Amino acid sequence: MADPAMPKSAKPEGSPDAPASPVSPRSTTSAAARRAPAPPPVPAVRTPGDDPLDRAVWRLRSRGCWDDAAALLEPYAARSAPVALHRAALLVERCMYTAAGWAAAEDALRTAEALASDDAERGGAACERGHLAYTATVLGVRDRADEARSALGRSAALLAPGAPGRPLLDFRRGLMSEHVADSPQSARAAYRRAHAGATAAGDTLLLSATWRHLAGLALRDGELAEARHGFTESLRIREELGFLVGTAPALVALADAAPEADAAHLLTEAARLFRLMGGLPTWLTGRFPRALLDEEDADGGEPPV
């Protein structure tokens, strides 16, 4: 099952959000609206930054607490297109990992689409729309492949080749090629474009996904050394970032290319994390021997919240 890469902090696309414009004395805006907090500046590079809100959102998201992370952004999402888009992206990611929360993701996407005012914002919203439709398709909830193709095509028309959101779009088009169209050659080309763009932008979480999916194609072709390298890099990045909810899939992927003894160790650790995260991501259900899932955690730890 494809493991998506998603935005890593309070902005999924584009440059930092500008502070709210001063209100003119003649403005008809209400006093309450004038007192509302301006949306916080949010970084274009989607890794945890210095902003306290950014760090809090990342911490919750990395532990699979998407609803709580989205709630932190909600006070700003009604007035800021970039924040609304990131809130929608969090809830779309929740759908991919949990196979639930579809209505909330649709509502958040509609808000982001309504607030979008330029091509970058409209392209980013279309990219999330396409990813939500892709997610519903690959998880078997409902066949929305045509909608996914249309939305991602619309995003490609709106986002310039060098736009900040283009690497994520390229990655998601690769997912469509690999898992919907069954076209590994097209998928590999898209993943490589995404990989180069993520490298240039310093988008390390997206890099962890491009490493993993390029390695998956290498494994499919019998290139074990290349596959192991890519899976190892993907796992390393996720562990360094502390992206806990996405670490079990990286461990399972590496196990698929590892020698038998190493694979057993990797699957044991992946099963431990899977239990720790309360059975997330759901697409790993069935990947572990029952005995691994029935074992008690050695440290007796509780799922982080």
Side-chain angles (χ1 to χ4, degrees), residues 1 3 22-23 26 37 55 68 109 167 171 236 247 277 279 283 303:
M1 181 61 64
D3 177 25
V23 178
R26 295 187 180 184
R55 292 199 304 270
D68 292 336
L109 261 177
F171 175 71
R236 176 188 62 79
T247 300
M277 299 307 300
W283 73 75

Side-chain angles (χ1 to χ4, degrees), residues 204-218:
T204 49
L205 186 57
L206 181 54
L207 271 178
S208 78
T210 55
W211 271 121
R212 180 176 164 219
H213 285 271
L214 284 168
L217 293 177

Side-chain angles (χ1 to χ4, degrees), residues 157-204:
L158 290 165
L159 295 176
R166 194 72 190 212
L168 181 61
L169 171 63
D170 286 335
F171 175 71
R172 288 173 171 175
R173 296 180 88 182
L175 292 176
M176 285 289 296
S177 294
E178 181 178 3
H179 298 287
V180 177
D182 192 23
S183 176
Q185 289 185 338
S186 295
R188 182 178 288 106
Y191 292 151
R192 284 175 174 167
R193 290 194 301 271
H195 191 86
T199 300
D203 190 339
T204 49

Side-chain angles (χ1 to χ4, degrees), residues 48-72:
D50 295 329
D51 179 72
L53 177 61
D54 178 43
R55 292 199 304 270
V57 168
W58 167 257
R59 183 176 182 276
L60 289 166
R61 178 201 173 193
S62 66
R63 288 157 174 77
C65 302
W66 296 279
D67 285 344
D68 292 336
L72 291 181

